[in-house]
Amino acid sequence: MAVTLLLHFNVQACMATNLPPSRDPDGKLRALPLSGYYRLYYKEFCPFSIHHGLSQTFSSKRSSGHTTQNKKYITSVKPVNEELVEDKSKDLQVSGDSIRRRFLQFYASRGHKVLPSASLVPEDPTVLLTIAGMLQFKPIFLGKVSRLVPCAATAQRCIRTNDVENVGRTARHHTFFEMLGNFSFGDYFKREAIKWAWELTTIEFGLPANKLWISIYEEDDEAFAIWHDEVGVPVERIKRMGEDDNFWTSGITGPCGPCSEIYYDFQPEKGHSDVDLGDDTRFMEFYNLVFMQYNKKDDGSLEPLKQKNIDTGLGLERMARILQKVPNNYETDLIYPIIQKASELAHVTYETADAQSKTSLKIIGDHMRAIVYLISDGVVPSNIGRGYIVRRLIRRVVRTGRLLGIKGDGKGNTDGAFTPHIAEKVIALSSHIDEDVKGRTGRILEELKREELRFVQTLERGEKLLEEMLADALASAKEDGRFPCLAGKDAFLLYDTYGFPVEITTEVAQERGVVVDMKGFDIEMDNQRRQSQAAHNAVKLEVGEGADIMENISDTEFLGYDMLSAKAIVESLIVNGKSVLQVSEGHDVEVLLNRTPFYAESGGQIGDHGFIYISEGENRGNVVMEVKDVQKSAGSIFVHKGTIKQGVLEVGREVEAEVDARLRQGAKVHHTATHLLQSALRRIIGQETSQAGSLVAFDRLRFDFNYHRPLADTEILQIEELINGWIGDAVLLQTKVMPLAEAKSAGAIAMFGEKYGEEVRVVEVPGVSMELCGGTHVFNTSEIRGFKVISEQGIASGVRRIEAVAGDAFIEYVNARDYHMKRLCTMLKVKAEDVTTRVENLVEDLRLARNEISNLREKTAVFKASSIANKAFVVGTSKEIRVLVEYMDDTDADSLKGAAEFLMDNLQDPAAIVLGSCPGEGKVSLVAAFTPSVVDLGVQARNFIGPIAKLCGGGGGGRPNFAQAGGRKPENLLNALENARSELVRILSEKAS
């Protein structure tokens, strides 16, 4: 006897109470709320029409770990007449935060465990950044780890930069976005996933059913039946699509399955005929359901999975666009406040801005979200990996902001940075996305400020130079009748000297209709990598009238051992190698003083930095010169190099010369540490070692020494312990001037490359070292604070190099390494002492994975080869020769060779095979394989492949029966293969007739 349950709920009441699913007394039916009104019978549903409202059907409440697939109930649903369906979304609170919250609450009430978003820096070593909501569950889906919960729901932060050029130009492309997802790990499957997705969309979010379209995999009749027969979506709004669009795979083999997507129709009045769901102007996919139900085997066949999984993704920005009824994702409350902040700094109004300005504002709004969350998750700007992505995005924002007219910080300080101000808005919006972001505000803003100002220093010059380069390229192309192209060496100059990411150069060039020679750029990059990284200061004083100037200048009195500030007289001013009487603001100048506290570069120690100024009593105001280098010339004449920052400096004026005390202390610390290092080396590896060069900078030291082998890790540790022990002993240094002979007799060591007079200065660390040295040093070894070797490497035959830090630089280095170690421990989920083992295991896993990938590539190539074998055709009359010339996509060279060998075995003698592929950007691979009978006709593979490869900008060779070749012009490959086919037919027709 059927038991009738009729339940009637008001839409708003249901949403306000957020009722969890209920169960009937026997616990066998689950709540499946659907639009419309129904009389529910045990084991079947019958439509039942009543007044306008909402009904809810019930089923058993799923307990943890209980599989719904075994429940014996049938759900058959017929929707209400679509004329009664209204757009309820306008009645709801539709902020982005509320959409996120309601999504998670919806699935939590259906037994899902709500889990936090994973970091943008994934544990998965195969990807650079978190690109999808399912990434943190990938090990579960692949069966590598057991599930901890039967099903889960998340709001995952994601980053994708493959479509960065579309950001701001389309309504939906982003680098940063949130993916709302519900996941089942062998718990529920297709029926529940589809019905809940529909309920969430039409009931929870109130979207009208007549504006929703469904895509399914063309062979997924089960999904079709659920969508049509049970949910009630009309046939005309269900589109069957092919494997490329609606079949998900995890790789060549492994878990896979069909997927189904829900699209929103912005123009339903256009009807159902000739519909293309890929039409972005009309449709937007916002919810994707992946049904992992198969395992793809090596032979390509599919077998059912024992544990079927669900992986879904609902784009938060896309749903916000629909519910907030705005024309694009950028104008939702998730991004628009950031755009408004950028508009304020640019002194424009988004609503009245032109199309280009709107695009620029959208780019800033999008990129700033990505930048803030990446830096918050520990990614800092650099030239490699994730760091390069952050740097590229920051520089794109800076350049875009300047195009909008943002000057400086946008608030009147032309020397300031504007990105931190916009970042503050991003951080203010972050509370419900990642609550940790606000606690990292200081670090995020400081990193942005530093990176922006660093880029701005060279941006103006770089932009001007790029504009000149593009103008030259356009002019040359017009004269020669060629397509305009920017040389690779020019693009590299911008990258190397001016810090322009090549992507920005390419983007600007494209705006002007110019292509960039990326091959030439890559060549320049490779050349730079091969160059020595050794930095050697070889600054020379280039004075055109040097002899005349120095004739009247006495040696400079050096006061820097005892003081950092001193009065002095300007003896001479030199601009562009010529002596002048005065220099005004903005000009570079070389200043000669009668006395100075500035240390001039010598003995490996770099010259001091600081200022030269007149503080009072001058009509022209303060004269300030920033000193950036000091060199010695013509014996002991100190040349102070720098720029006049304000006022006018004249010969004969009295000035105050003041050294930057912080930088001087850095030099002193590293110079004394260099002496300790040399002493430690002699004690640990032998007295025979000798200095071969050195650099003492403000923030590091470099010490070259003669030695025949790399130092062992234990030796480096001993050196560090010895030096840090001397530092801890707080030894007072002693300096004295004595005759050279006496100093040598006392055992003083001469510094490399220095020339000494009869009287020398000796610096001694009693009981530790004694060296001839004119450099500046600490008074007590305790000032060094700490010492750490950064690297040890060979730079030439028999010459080793140690780089190290001490003092403040040592503290910064240790803190940075400690930070990264903690991050590693967190990411790897191990203690610090276990990081090495964990990384070794990961490296081994990666090696095995790469080997597996290589094997899979070979198998894939063979599989492709087997599928094209039937395309072989016969040539010749007296001898029928099977000929096959085919293009094999992106197959690599080794796999292409394997495919050719497989085809030779399968086509048998006589056969002639030519295969081509494009394994990478700017790369062509070719292979020719001829069986013995073909070779006997006088047709040799090595002779045949050469002219074909030449058409692709390359060459090759090999044996008579088998030859390989490469090229650099993939755009010519198809024509080259067609040429090969024609040539083979011609030659073999003549030979075999």
Side-chain angles (χ1 to χ4, degrees):
M1 174 175 156
V3 179
T4 304
L5 296 174
L6 179 62
L7 298 163
H8 177 208
F9 291 95
N10 178 270
V11 174
Q12 283 76 15
C14 175
M15 301 207 175
T17 58
N18 193 27
L19 292 173
S22 302
R23 67 173 77 188
D24 63 3
D26 63 11
K28 290 186 177 180
L29 297 179
R30 179 193 305 266
L32 294 172
L34 297 164
S35 62
Y37 303 89
Y38 307 93
R39 177 170 293 160
L40 172 62
Y41 293 96
Y42 187 70
K43 291 191 176 181
E44 65 180 0
F45 289 96
C46 296
F48 181 73
S49 299
I50 47 179
H51 61 84
H52 188 61
L54 172 71
S55 69
Q56 194 171 32
T57 61
F58 283 73
S59 68
S60 64
K61 184 176 181 181
R62 173 173 32 80
S63 59
S64 177
H66 186 64
T67 306
T68 61
Q69 296 160 11
N70 296 325
K71 293 186 177 178
K72 297 181 179 179
Y73 63 90
I74 301 172
T75 54
S76 175
V77 182
K78 183 177 179 180
V80 69
N81 189 305
E82 287 194 357
E83 293 178 359
L84 298 178
V85 176
E86 296 180 0
D87 186 348
K88 305 292 194 307
S89 63
K90 60 179 176 293
D91 301 323
L92 306 178
Q93 296 298 315
V94 290
S95 70
D97 287 340
S98 74
I99 295 170
R100 184 191 306 106
R101 183 189 71 252
R102 287 161 56 194
F103 176 93
L104 296 176
Q105 288 177 344
F106 179 90
Y107 282 104
S109 70
R110 286 152 182 78
H112 291 64
K113 176 69 173 177
V114 176
L115 298 175
S117 170
S119 169
L120 289 172
V121 180
E123 295 182 7
D124 188 337
T126 65
V127 291
L128 202 61
L129 295 167
T130 297
I131 58 174
M134 61 81 66
L135 193 62
Q136 64 172 305
F137 305 118
K138 180 179 171 183
I140 300 175
F141 289 139
L142 294 177
K144 293 181 178 180
V145 300
S146 300
R147 70 180 191 180
L148 298 178
V149 294
C151 51
T154 64
Q156 176 63 54
R157 306 186 302 277
C158 300
I159 293 281
R160 293 181 190 171
T161 58
N162 54 313
D163 290 326
V164 68
E165 68 279 356
N166 291 324
V167 170
R169 292 178 169 82
T170 70
R172 59 181 177 82
H173 280 94
H174 299 290
T175 56
F176 176 89
F177 59 94
E178 287 187 81
M179 188 62 75
L180 310 179
N182 56 290
F183 308 89
S184 169
F185 313 115
D187 189 52
Y188 63 85
F189 195 52
K190 198 174 295 186
R191 176 171 280 101
E192 292 84 356
I194 288 175
K195 290 187 174 182
W196 282 337
W198 186 258
E199 179 188 354
L200 174 77
T201 301
T202 59
I203 303 303
E204 177 66 29
F205 291 133
L207 298 188
N210 64 345
K211 290 187 178 181
L212 302 179
W213 288 66
I214 307 299
S215 72
I216 61 172
Y217 177 50
E218 57 192 358
E219 298 178 9
D220 193 355
D221 295 331
E222 180 187 7
F224 178 85
I226 297 171
W227 280 116
H228 177 58
D229 300 335
E230 299 183 32
V231 175
V233 179
V235 173
E236 59 268 22
R237 289 214 306 276
I238 302 176
K239 300 284 287 184
R240 293 181 182 264
M241 302 179 76
E243 186 173 337
D244 290 343
D245 295 303
N246 279 67
F247 195 90
W248 178 86
T249 61
S250 60
I252 297 175
T253 61
C256 60
C259 57
S260 180
E261 293 142 339
I262 307 178
Y263 289 77
Y264 188 81
D265 186 356
F266 291 101
Q267 300 167 355
E269 67 277 4
K270 289 189 175 181
H272 303 138
S273 60
D274 299 324
V275 166
D276 176 14
L277 293 181
D279 179 2
D280 285 350
T281 62
R282 178 177 175 182
F283 296 102
M284 182 172 68
E285 174 207 338
F286 64 88
Y287 207 168
N288 183 25
L289 316 176
V290 176
F291 313 123
M292 295 185 203
Q293 63 188 85
Y294 300 115
N295 177 53
K296 191 172 185 180
K297 300 166 70 175
D298 288 341
D299 61 3
S301 62
L302 303 178
E303 62 179 2
L305 283 172
K306 293 180 181 179
Q307 175 180 299
K308 297 181 179 180
N309 304 312
I310 290 293
D311 161 26
T312 78
L314 183 150
L316 174 60
E317 292 78 8
R318 298 186 182 198
M319 179 59 81
R321 174 192 173 189
I322 295 169
L323 294 179
Q324 295 174 14
K325 297 177 171 54
V326 292
N328 55 70
N329 297 2
Y330 301 95
E331 296 183 36
T332 67
D333 68 334
L334 296 165
I335 305 174
Y336 192 64
I338 308 168
I339 289 176
Q340 287 181 307
K341 185 63 180 179
S343 301
E344 175 190 322
L345 297 178
H347 303 291
V348 299
T349 303
Y350 177 81
E351 290 77 5
T352 59
D354 58 34
Q356 182 58 50
S357 295
K358 283 186 175 180
T359 297
S360 296
L361 289 166
K362 291 174 187 175
I363 290 171
I364 293 174
D366 169 87
H367 286 11
M368 285 304 301
R369 293 210 302 166
I371 292 163
V372 165
Y373 287 101
L374 281 168
I375 295 176
S376 176
D377 278 354
V379 182
V380 295
S382 71
N383 284 330
I384 59 173
R386 301 181 186 98
Y388 182 67
I389 291 174
V390 177
R391 173 161 287 172
R392 175 186 176 191
L393 292 175
I394 293 173
R395 293 188 169 188
R396 202 162 187 254
V397 167
V398 173
R399 177 179 176 269
T400 303
R402 289 171 64 86
L403 290 175
L404 276 171
I406 300 178
K407 292 180 170 57
D409 66 354
K411 295 187 173 185
N413 180 8
T414 56
D415 294 326
F418 72 87
T419 53
H421 295 302
I422 302 177
E424 287 174 345
K425 177 59 68 175
V426 179
I427 294 169
L429 296 171
S430 70
S431 298
H432 300 291
I433 303 174
D434 181 2
E435 60 185 13
D436 293 329
V437 171
K438 287 188 177 179
R440 300 163 182 162
T441 296
R443 176 164 59 84
I444 294 169
L445 300 184
E446 185 60 34
E447 197 67 59
L448 272 168
K449 178 181 177 181
R450 181 165 49 247
E451 185 66 17
E452 179 181 343
L453 294 181
R454 182 185 295 141
F455 183 45
V456 167
Q457 289 176 356
T458 57
L459 184 60
E460 289 184 356
R461 286 180 294 163
E463 285 179 332
K464 182 179 179 181
L465 181 58
L466 175 57
E467 186 60 33
E468 292 173 357
M469 290 175 175
L470 294 176
D472 290 343
L474 288 166
S476 298
K478 188 174 182 180
E479 292 177 4
D480 302 339
R482 296 178 292 102
F483 194 85
C485 179
L486 181 68
K489 64 179 182 180
D490 290 336
F492 181 76
L493 174 67
L494 291 166
Y495 168 83
D496 188 48
T497 304
Y498 297 95
F500 265 52
V502 70
E503 294 84 1
I504 289 182
T505 298
T506 302
E507 187 176 338
V508 177
Q510 287 175 346
E511 292 171 0
R512 297 290 306 277
V514 178
V515 298
V516 177
D517 175 18
M518 289 306 300
K519 294 176 186 175
F521 175 85
D522 291 338
I523 290 172
E524 296 294 329
M525 183 69 80
D526 290 340
N527 289 339
Q528 186 198 53
R529 291 192 184 107
R530 285 193 292 267
Q531 292 174 356
S532 168
Q533 298 302 309
H536 177 66
N537 262 345
V539 182
K540 297 179 180 178
L541 176 64
E542 296 181 358
V543 182
E545 301 171 353
D548 295 334
I549 294 172
M550 299 308 167
E551 233 176 302
N552 303 312
I553 301 295
S554 302
D555 287 349
T556 308
E557 180 185 0
F558 177 60
L559 309 171
Y561 291 136
D562 304 310
M563 59 182 67
L564 297 179
S565 179
K567 297 285 186 181
I569 301 297
V570 178
E571 298 277 331
S572 180
L573 297 173
I574 304 168
V575 176
N576 296 326
K578 296 184 181 296
S579 180
V580 296
L581 295 177
Q582 65 178 31
V583 184
S584 58
E585 180 177 332
H587 290 84
D588 293 336
V589 63
E590 295 166 350
V591 180
L592 310 184
L593 304 175
N594 65 328
R595 58 208 301 260
T596 183
F598 284 85
Y599 182 84
E601 179 179 338
S602 61
Q605 180 178 331
I606 65 174
D608 280 330
H609 291 190
F611 288 91
I612 295 175
Y613 61 91
I614 299 174
S615 56
E616 295 178 356
E618 298 295 328
N619 294 331
R620 289 176 293 274
N622 293 350
V623 178
V624 178
M625 171 190 172
E626 184 178 12
V627 178
K628 284 296 186 181
D629 188 22
V630 184
Q631 296 289 322
K632 280 185 181 179
S633 180
S636 294
I637 296 175
F638 286 43
V639 182
H640 306 76
K641 298 186 176 185
T643 305
I644 304 297
K645 292 297 183 181
Q646 64 180 39
V648 177
L649 186 62
E650 296 179 339
V651 173
R653 292 291 182 182
E654 184 181 74
V655 295
E656 183 83 12
E658 183 171 287
V659 174
D660 186 314
R662 184 183 62 83
L663 296 182
R664 164 66 79 82
Q665 182 65 17
K668 289 164 62 177
V669 161
H670 285 100
H671 206 151
T672 303
T674 300
H675 286 208
L676 300 184
L677 173 59
Q678 176 157 234
S679 182
L681 280 168
R682 292 167 69 89
R683 297 190 188 198
I684 299 300
I685 65 174
Q687 294 293 322
E688 70 278 4
T689 187
S690 61
Q691 180 181 345
S694 70
L695 169 68
V696 175
F698 306 128
D699 59 353
R700 70 190 190 282
L701 68 85
R702 187 181 68 219
F703 188 83
D704 300 340
F705 59 100
N706 297 304
Y707 203 56
H708 61 281
R709 63 167 175 82
L711 299 187
D713 291 343
T714 54
E715 291 174 324
I716 293 176
L717 184 60
Q718 285 178 295
I719 290 168
E720 291 176 336
E721 289 176 344
L722 194 54
I723 294 173
N724 284 312
W726 292 329
I727 293 170
D729 290 338
V731 182
L732 285 170
L733 273 70
Q734 299 177 5
T735 59
K736 51 186 136 178
V737 177
M738 62 177 70
L740 178 60
E742 183 180 336
K744 289 183 176 179
S745 298
I749 300 173
M751 292 291 287
F752 175 82
E754 283 294 288
K755 296 180 180 179
Y756 300 97
E758 290 300 316
E759 296 282 320
V760 293
R761 183 171 182 260
V762 177
V763 176
E764 182 180 9
V765 183
V768 178
S769 75
M770 180 188 291
E771 296 189 17
L772 308 182
C773 180
T776 61
H777 289 268
V778 299
F779 296 103
N780 188 301
T781 58
S782 63
E783 294 178 44
I784 300 174
R785 301 171 70 187
F787 174 92
K788 182 68 181 175
V789 173
I790 296 176
S791 66
E792 190 275 335
Q793 61 184 332
I795 59 170
S797 179
V799 180
R800 310 294 302 174
R801 168 172 291 169
I802 284 178
E803 295 192 47
V805 289
D808 289 345
F810 163 80
I811 301 299
E812 291 174 7
Y813 179 85
V814 170
N815 286 340
R817 292 308 178 273
D818 180 63
Y819 169 79
H820 291 301
M821 176 57 75
K822 287 177 180 176
R823 288 287 299 160
L824 276 175
C825 291
T826 300
M827 288 189 289
L828 300 176
K829 298 179 180 178
V830 295
K831 296 179 181 178
E833 57 267 28
D834 297 326
V835 166
T836 301
T837 301
R838 176 70 171 137
V839 171
E840 287 174 348
N841 291 337
L842 288 174
V843 170
E844 178 61 13
D845 289 345
L846 181 59
R847 186 188 66 81
L848 294 174
R850 284 174 172 168
N851 289 340
E852 184 178 352
I853 289 171
S854 180
N855 292 334
L856 289 173
R857 282 176 176 167
E858 291 180 10
K859 290 178 181 178
T860 302
V862 170
F863 175 77
K864 287 181 180 178
S866 65
S867 67
I868 64 173
N870 59 2
K871 294 184 179 181
F873 56 92
V874 176
V875 173
T877 54
S878 63
K879 180 181 290 187
E880 293 186 345
I881 302 171
R882 285 168 289 283
V883 175
L884 181 64
V885 179
E886 286 295 326
Y887 170 66
M888 292 192 66
D889 301 316
D890 59 352
T891 303
D892 62 85
D894 290 340
S895 300
L896 197 69
K897 176 185 176 184
E901 291 170 344
F902 169 85
L903 288 168
M904 278 218 296
D905 292 337
N906 278 265
L907 294 180
Q908 299 181 347
D909 197 12
I913 300 156
V914 176
L915 303 176
S917 67
C918 298
E921 186 177 350
K923 292 182 180 179
V924 171
S925 287
L926 289 162
V927 62
F930 298 165
T931 60
S933 296
V934 174
V935 176
D936 290 342
L937 292 174
V939 184
Q940 296 189 359
R942 64 185 177 192
N943 296 333
F944 183 82
I945 200 68
I948 304 303
K950 195 172 183 179
L951 295 174
C952 298
R959 304 187 305 273
N961 66 321
F962 200 95
Q964 288 181 278
R968 301 183 304 277
K969 298 180 179 179
E971 64 272 17
N972 295 346
L973 178 57
L974 293 180
N975 287 336
L977 290 174
E978 188 59 40
N979 186 282
R981 182 181 288 107
S982 302
E983 195 65 8
L984 268 180
V985 170
R986 183 187 66 78
I987 294 173
L988 295 178
S989 295
E990 294 175 358
K991 299 283 186 179
S993 296

